[in-house]
Structures are given as C-alpha cells and as structure tokens.
Amino acid sequence: MTFPLHLAISEKLRDRIRAGIYRPGDQLPSEHQLMAEFEVSRITARRAIANLTQQGLVNVQRGKGAFVSTQQKVVYSLSSPLLLEADLARQDIEITVQTLSFERVTAPVHVQKILNCAIAYLQKKVLLFNNVPSCVDITYIVPELAKAHGKELRQKLTFTTLEKYGICIQKIDAVIECTQADYETGEQLEVSLGHPLIVYRHTAFTEAGAIVHGESISRGDRFCYSIQIDRMIAPDL
Amino acid sequence: MTFPLHLAISEKLRDRIRAGIYRPGDQLPSEHQLMAEFEVSRITARRAIANLTQQGLVNVQRGKGAFVSTQQKVVYSLSSPLLLEADLARQDIEITVQTLSFERVTAPVHVQKILNCAIAYLQKKVLLFNNVPSCVDITYIVPELAKAHGKELRQKLTFTTLEKYGICIQKIDAVIECTQADYETGEQLEVSLGHPLIVYRHTAFTEAGAIVHGESISRGDRFCYSIQIDRMIAPDL
DNA sequence: TAGTGGTCTAGACCACGGT
DNA sequence: CCGTGGTCTAGACCACTAG
C-alpha cells in the first residue's frame, strides 16, 4: 500500500486550510505553483485540487483559480414543514419557485400504489434561494387537487398552497438520503457531476389517504435538515 | 461549451446500466475494452469510469474490474431511535460496536456550551452492520454518566445503555446533512476520498439538561434516515 | 496578451487478483 | 503468468477571465 502523491498534497493543502493559512474565500496556489512547490506533474497537482473539491473544501472557477469555499447551510426544519417560508425569511433567504413542467401522466407503479390512483400530475420545479438554484423538486399530486389548484401550485410551495385551501396534512412519511449528481441534475443545480446531494423523499397524507408523493433534491453543500424529537417511546418488544 | 468526451462515454454507460444491459453485479468493460470501443486514451476511459463511481453506480476492485453496484440501504428510523437495534434485527442486520477511544477531554467550546460543562468524555466508535463498517460515531458524554456506565457504553449503543439504567431521554435535537469523506474517515469506513457521507448530529436532553452530544457519520450509499411527522402545527406567524 | 483551469494523448511503472 | 486497475510523467490544445 503506497501512499499516493496526489493525496499527500491534498492532505497538506487541507491542513493549511484548517490551520487558517488559506482562509475562506482565499485563492489557492495555481496549478503551476503547485507543480513547482511539490515538484509534480500538472495532472498530479490537478488531482490534489480535485480531491479538495470532492470534499467540498474548495471550488474552482475556470480562468480564475481555486478558492477556499465558505460554508453556510440553509436549515430546513422538518418539525414544522409548513413554516418553511417563514423559517427561511428568518434566515434572510428569499425563495423563488420555478416550475419546469406540470403535466398529467400515468404514474409509475410504486407511485400508483402510494397514491392509490393510476393517473397523477407530475410537477417538476426548481427552488431558488436568493436566486441560487438549490433544490429540484419532483412531485406527484392526485388529480383532484392538481386540477383544482394547478395555477397556484405552479407558483408556490406545495404544502403552503394546500394548507391555504384548507387541505389538512395529517401525516408525512419521509426518508432522507444522499446521492450524487448525474449530468442532468448537475445542470439544474449548477454543480458538477458527482456533487453531493441530499434527498428528501416524502408522502403526505390527509385523513382520506395519500395525496402527494415527491422528492426534493438539494445541494448537499447548501442545505440540511433539522428535527426535534420530543417525547420518546419506550421499546415494548 | 464543448461536451467532454469522458462525460459522453459515462452517460452512454449509465444509459446501458439503466436499460439493464449491464445489470447489478455485472462487470463493466475493462479500461482496455473501453479504449477500443470509444477510441480514446486510457485516461479518458478511466475518467468515464470515475464519473460513474462518483455517482455511486459502479464500484471498482483493483485487479478485478468495475462492477455495477447493488444498492440496498439500511433505514434508521428517527421516530424511535431507541428501537434501532430491534429495527435493524427486523431488517436482518447484525450490529457490532467497535470502540476506538474513550477518554476524558476538555471539550471544544461549542460542546462546552451545549453540555454546560468544561470536561467531557469523548467516545469514538465504529458501528459495523453485518461486519461491514458503516458508521463512525463521535460522541461527547457528560462525566457523571460516562464514569458510571463507561464499561457498557464501550460495548453497546449509547441510547440503549442510558435507557437501560433508567436515564430518560426527553428530547433530541438533530440535524442531518451530507459531506464527503476525508482521508481518515475514508479509511475507517473503507471508502475512497470524497465518498458521500450522511451525518446525523444530535444533542440528547433529560429533564436536567443536555447529557450527550455527538455525530454519526455513515456511508451515504448504505444508510438513510426515515421520519414520520404525525400531527402538523399550523403556522401562527 | 498572459494566466488560469479543462480536456486529451501516449507511454511508463507499480500493485493486486486469479490462472 | 497475464489482465486488471492505480499512479505518474511530459507535452499539447482549447476555453475562459482578466488587465
């Protein structure tokens, strides 16, 4: 097991970032400078930089250079999903909805089972936070609601709209996981292939049953979820 | 904006995976075969494969080849954290705790504020699921509890142990986010640099206050979190 | 125009896995 | 032994950003 050169270099650079020698926003040495300093080929220097970008520590700008990234994640509270907009306002974030498509489709089988209907409306939208594309949302909505509130659903957040018209969400089942961007999603979120993404896959229920199923795919470097679990249920197995 | 060759190739290979031409577990064409088929240099062929591994679609084994990965994520239910072990047993998963260190330290400032004490015990452990390292857990525990139950805490899950001794968790504040592996974490979880990770950062409270603060870092390709939000609180702003 | 990163090539050596 | 992937080099051309 030999220790790769590119890794040795990226670890050294990472240490400098952690030590504050390179501070957030600073420009890293250029590829040429790294080649000189560490006496390596350009490919190896590039690989070292790639390691750092892969860890989210730096972001590179073509023609300009590589810069130490400044992290500051937006928090989405799951304990009060309806408050998202108010929540974000408190964090000084303006939210914009950009609907890419909204059409009647035959739902995929697993969605048919969840929503208990064969036809659904499929909405694809991008959420912009302070005009930065941060979240791709793909949602299946039962036809009744989609038809009744289509216009508003295109321009606002799903739950906000439903709530406004007195549709009361009783329960949400959700899974949070992470993936990495494929080319298409990368384009939409303005990130490169393989960029870490956080996925919130949810089903919303009224008393009558499931009405909405969708997934929100967000940039992992700008987004996180918070939860408060209040009372614990003792194990009874 | 020219479309990179390596991307064109990885997209083509990805389509084949999605189409089922290469099925989970199958071996992809070797680098040499890709060089021949697409008439590119080895570096470009390698880059195409790298794109796919970065998206979690394939994993490569040195000396053997690249294989389409077979996903099957372990679900950690946040609605009943105490039931984790029972939950996993239901998913046919055996869990092993491997404590790396357990020592008395002066806590970092932000932890001091949370736990409201300057000295804490820092436990680092690895959780193995069916003997596959899947989760690195770094936890600060208030001294009273750490001293009283140190032996058991080393071998079992934190919450399970506390519960056993009648310490009742009233509330958990948590944040879920994602990162990518640095070299050290990569070693521990047996993944490469930049591998997607999902982080569960939590603080547990009894009636008396915070007693535990830690973060669980899991492989993003094997792990996800589920939540059930039961009753919704109407916005009152 | 000069400097930056992005892509690509051809060729080399090493380490691992299975025969 | 051979085939596989992992690392590295030297050199080339292109595209973007700035002064």
Side-chain angles (χ1 to χ4, degrees), chain A residues 112-157:
Chain A
Q112 288 190 22
K113 280 180 193 161
I114 292 169
L115 295 182
N116 199 29
C117 58
I119 301 292
Y121 279 71
L122 169 58
Q123 177 177 29
K124 296 186 186 180
K125 57 177 185 282
V126 175
L127 303 187
L128 304 147
F129 290 54
N130 288 338
N131 291 316
V132 180
S134 302
C135 180
V136 173
D137 192 282
I138 298 171
T139 303
Y140 290 91
I141 307 170
V142 291
E144 308 85 80
L145 294 176
K147 269 184 253 175
H149 309 297
K151 194 171 178 186
E152 196 135 353
L153 284 168
R154 280 169 211 264
Q155 293 159 6
K156 302 263 185 175
L157 296 180

Side-chain angles (χ1 to χ4, degrees), chain A residues 40-169:
Chain A
V40 294
S41 75
R42 186 165 166 228
I43 285 190
T44 307
R46 280 177 65 70
R47 182 78 188 269
I49 299 289
N51 289 342
L52 296 174
T53 63
Q54 213 167 24
Q55 291 171 67
L57 290 173
V58 310
N59 52 9
V60 290
Q61 291 171 47
R62 186 197 189 104
K64 295 178 79 175
F67 300 84
V68 180
S69 50
T70 66
Q71 298 274 33
Q72 174 72 330
K73 290 190 180 175
V74 173
V75 179
Y76 178 6
S77 166
L78 290 179
S79 301
S80 51
L82 287 176
L83 297 177
L84 176 60
E85 279 172 305
D87 235 34
L88 294 179
R90 214 172 301 137
Q91 296 179 59
D92 270 320
I93 293 154
E94 183 202 9
I95 180 169
T96 318
V97 176
Q98 195 174 91
T99 294
L100 304 177
S101 71
F102 190 105
E103 41 184 16
R104 191 171 171 279
V105 297
T106 57
V109 225
H110 71 280
V111 176
Q112 288 190 22
K113 280 180 193 161
I114 292 169
L115 295 182
N116 199 29
C117 58
I119 301 292
Y121 279 71
L122 169 58
Q123 177 177 29
K124 296 186 186 180
K125 57 177 185 282
V126 175
L127 303 187
L128 304 147
F129 290 54
N130 288 338
N131 291 316
V132 180
S134 302
C135 180
V136 173
D137 192 282
I138 298 171
T139 303
Y140 290 91
I141 307 170
V142 291
E144 308 85 80
L145 294 176
K147 269 184 253 175
H149 309 297
K151 194 171 178 186
E152 196 135 353
L153 284 168
R154 280 169 211 264
Q155 293 159 6
K156 302 263 185 175
L157 296 180
T158 312
F159 291 151
T160 308
T161 304
L162 295 180
E163 174 75 5
K164 180 177 170 188
Y165 290 101
I167 291 132
C168 181
I169 311 289

Side-chain angles (χ1 to χ4, degrees), chain B residues 47 97 131 230:
Chain B
R47 181 80 187 269
V97 176
N131 292 315
D230 262 316

Side-chain angles (χ1 to χ4, degrees), chain A residues 54 73 170 177 180 230, chain B residues 54 73 170 177 180 230:
Chain A
Q54 213 167 24
K73 290 190 180 175
Q170 286 294 325
E177 64 178 325
Q180 297 184 266
D230 262 315
Chain B
Q54 213 169 23
K73 290 189 182 176
Q170 286 294 326
E177 63 178 328
Q180 296 184 268
D230 262 316

Side-chain angles (χ1 to χ4, degrees), chain B residues 167-183:
Chain B
I167 293 133
C168 181
I169 311 290
Q170 286 294 326
K171 190 182 75 164
I172 293 177
D173 277 347
V175 168
I176 298 175
E177 63 178 328
C178 62
T179 0
Q180 296 184 268
D182 57 20
Y183 180 69

